[in-house]
Amino acid sequence: MMYIIKITILVVLLIVGLACSNSDNNGCEYIDIESALVDIKELSVMDIGESVSYVSLETTEESLIGKRAYVRMLKDKLLVGSFQQPIKMFDKRTGEFIQTIGNIGQGANEYTLQHNIPVFWIDDTAEIIYVQTDGNRVLRFDVNGNPLNIINLPDSFPRLTTVSQITTENKLYVYKQTLFNKLDYKILMYDILNGKIHNFFLNEDEIIPSDFSQTPISFSGFGNIPVSTSCLIFTLKDGRMVFSYTENPCLWVFDKNVYCKEHFNDTIYQVLENKMEPRLVFNLGDKHCDYKDRYNLEGSLNKIAIDYVLEGKECLFFVFQMNYYNLQDAKTYWGSYNKKNKLVKVTDKLHISDSVNGIFLENLQTATSDGQFVGLIEATSYIEKMSNKKTFDISEDSNPIVVIVK
């Protein structure tokens, strides 16, 4: 039990094989992590974008942001969810607090908290805010925080408190882990306008047995994934282990296309109307974990697990871990892949340097559909690193700083 609690991160690999090759004939290319690991370099802002800006969020009793905060961005607004707090809306340019979005509760336009954090997402093209609530109801708010009509999902649709989701062009996509159900679909799409459901990515993988060696353990805010509300750990009787994360950023929208990168697969897919089309493959070389070893403690030694991917206008930013079962040797890496020149850079320094401002970016959380990266910097960290430069008028108790990389 203590070993499990002390593990910083464990990612379960479900490798189904490389879905495409490095050939122009099928339009799929490798992201060559194997070669990049030979020459570890520091990442800079210029590796992921052309410019960076910082927004200091107003700090008042009404606008105070709690722990485990995460941020989303509309055209002119910033939205922040945090521990035991309703969603807060701020002006993107000035950081001025505007209002809360809905409120915590069980009434009209109110929502309950999953693990004490409001789970919400946005369609940044249509500028609509979506919030999970009880059952299969989804609250919707416009760009000014005004309530829109509620979506009542069909009973056959998975509970949104257990899956990851995105919305674009009036279509709600969810990804669910199919650990216990073979021949179940991993991705479902609900058409908001006509109420129809479409299924993608049939699960034909081995399922795990439901007889565990101990009661499954749930941790809140666990691991390398900054927006994950919780992680459920299953310990199997044969010594294997499985981690199941909620709110994985495994689905994303870029340039009106929907993409999927499972924790358990080295391939990035585009979700099309009637198929999953391979787009890119992470080339891990001898660090690739065989499918049969994806739950084994010993079989995954010196292997790589890709935690998540964010897509910018010019590049992909990704996080991965090696030796995730071995606490003493476990190590996290960050990387970038330039979509134009195919250059891959990997660093073991868990930050992105902004040499102009003399600061490091340490928490990129999301990317908009037009390819802007957004993250947070704690006020204390910002003050320390910008001590000899012009800073905002903030204190250690101030709200975090929002960082935006274009």
Side-chain angles (χ1 to χ4, degrees):
M1 174 73 72
M2 290 302 297
Y3 178 78
I4 297 173
I5 294 175
K6 290 181 180 179
I7 296 178
T8 351
I9 178 84
L10 178 153
V11 180
V12 184
L13 292 180
L14 182 58
I15 301 301
V16 297
L18 297 181
C20 50
S21 65
N22 194 18
S23 168
D24 291 337
N25 294 331
N26 54 31
C28 193
E29 298 177 348
Y30 285 150
I31 299 175
D32 193 1
I33 292 180
E34 180 184 31
S35 299
L37 279 169
V38 176
D39 185 18
I40 300 292
K41 299 179 178 179
E42 186 172 48
L43 292 182
S44 73
V45 169
M46 293 300 102
D47 291 317
I48 64 171
E50 297 179 348
S51 64
V52 60
S53 59
Y54 301 91
V55 183
S56 176
L57 302 179
E58 179 184 4
T59 305
T60 64
E61 184 176 347
E62 187 180 17
S63 69
L64 191 63
I65 295 170
K67 298 178 180 178
R68 293 168 55 200
Y70 66 104
V71 62
R72 297 290 181 263
M73 187 170 76
L74 297 169
K75 182 179 179 180
D76 298 313
K77 309 284 181 22
L78 295 166
L79 302 168
V80 183
S82 63
F83 186 71
Q84 294 183 339
Q85 299 290 329
I87 303 162
K88 309 291 176 64
M89 175 185 284
F90 299 85
D91 184 277
K92 176 185 170 183
R93 184 179 62 85
T94 65
E96 181 181 356
F97 174 68
I98 300 173
Q99 66 179 74
T100 59
I101 303 300
N103 217 321
I104 299 170
Q106 297 181 335
N109 302 314
E110 294 182 336
Y111 44 89
T112 55
L113 299 183
Q114 180 185 354
H115 300 282
N116 285 316
I117 292 180
V119 177
F120 73 98
W121 65 100
I122 62 172
D123 180 340
D124 58 15
T125 301
E127 298 212 293
I128 296 177
I129 304 160
Y130 294 81
V131 186
Q132 289 185 2
T133 186
D134 282 339
N136 274 16
R137 291 194 315 141
V138 180
L139 304 183
R140 301 167 77 233
F141 300 86
D142 68 14
V143 66
N144 296 313
N146 300 313
L148 300 173
N149 60 302
I150 294 172
I151 298 174
N152 290 294
L153 296 170
D155 292 338
S156 59
F157 209 73
R159 298 277 177 165
L160 293 188
T161 53
T162 63
V163 300
S164 303
Q165 65 291 115
I166 59 168
T167 308
T168 180
E169 297 186 324
N170 287 308
K171 293 179 174 61
L172 168 63
Y173 293 83
V174 303
Y175 170 85
K176 60 176 182 176
Q177 286 189 275
T178 51
L179 296 175
F180 305 100
N181 299 311
K182 194 169 185 176
L183 302 181
D184 193 5
Y185 285 92
K186 297 182 180 182
I187 298 178
L188 290 83
M189 184 272 283
Y190 176 77
D191 192 312
I192 296 172
L193 296 181
N194 62 29
K196 293 183 179 179
I197 299 175
H198 299 267
N199 300 316
F200 306 89
F201 223 152
L202 182 66
N203 176 43
E204 299 182 279
D205 305 324
E206 173 195 0
I207 59 175
I208 66 172
S210 56
D211 52 336
F212 311 121
S213 63
Q214 62 185 45
T215 303
I217 301 172
S218 180
F219 289 102
S220 296
F222 185 84
N224 271 349
I225 305 171
V227 298
S228 180
T229 56
S230 68
C231 175
L232 194 60
I233 302 176
F234 302 96
T235 304
L236 310 183
K237 288 186 175 180
D238 58 7
R240 298 183 299 167
M241 294 179 64
V242 179
F243 275 32
S244 176
Y245 290 90
T246 60
E247 299 306 313
N248 285 340
C250 55
L251 290 172
W252 70 91
V253 178
F254 177 75
D255 196 21
K256 297 184 179 180
N257 296 319
V258 177
Y259 297 103
C260 174
K261 164 64 184 72
E262 295 184 279
H263 259 299
F264 319 142
N265 196 312
D266 294 345
T267 303
I268 294 174
Y269 294 91
Q270 182 178 353
V271 183
L272 298 174
E273 184 175 351
N274 56 1
K275 64 178 179 179
M276 301 285 292
E277 183 171 285
R279 176 192 176 195
L280 290 164
V281 171
F282 286 93
N283 174 29
L284 307 180
D286 61 4
K287 301 295 190 295
H288 168 83
C289 183
D290 289 336
Y291 173 80
K292 61 180 177 62
D293 291 326
R294 68 196 184 282
Y295 302 142
N296 296 337
L297 276 67
E298 295 181 359
S300 64
L301 290 176
N302 299 313
K303 306 300 181 182
I304 286 175
I306 307 294
D307 289 350
Y308 66 96
V309 178
L310 300 178
E311 181 158 10
K313 184 177 181 181
E314 303 293 338
C315 84
L316 300 181
F317 169 77
F318 51 90
V319 175
F320 65 92
Q321 188 161 38
M322 191 183 302
N323 286 329
Y324 45 89
Y325 281 113
N326 189 329
L327 179 62
Q328 293 183 342
D329 297 327
K331 192 169 185 179
T332 300
Y333 298 83
W334 288 9
S336 67
Y337 168 73
N338 189 296
K339 293 187 286 187
K340 289 186 176 180
N341 61 25
K342 317 304 179 188
L343 179 66
V344 181
K345 293 182 72 173
V346 167
T347 184
D348 55 2
K349 302 181 188 304
L350 304 186
H351 60 240
I352 298 171
S353 65
D354 174 9
S355 57
V356 174
N357 294 295
I359 196 169
F360 296 113
L361 317 185
E362 299 174 333
N363 193 356
L364 290 182
Q365 296 185 343
T366 188
T368 61
S369 61
D370 63 353
Q372 299 181 71
F373 295 109
V374 188
L376 294 172
I377 302 176
E378 292 296 327
T380 302
S381 177
Y382 186 88
I383 293 170
E384 290 175 352
K385 292 179 171 62
M386 297 282 279
S387 58
N388 297 322
K389 297 180 179 290
K390 182 179 179 180
T391 62
F392 297 114
D393 184 18
I394 59 176
S395 71
E396 294 183 353
D397 296 325
S398 295
N399 276 335
I401 308 299
V402 176
V403 55
I404 304 169
V405 181
K406 298 182 180 180

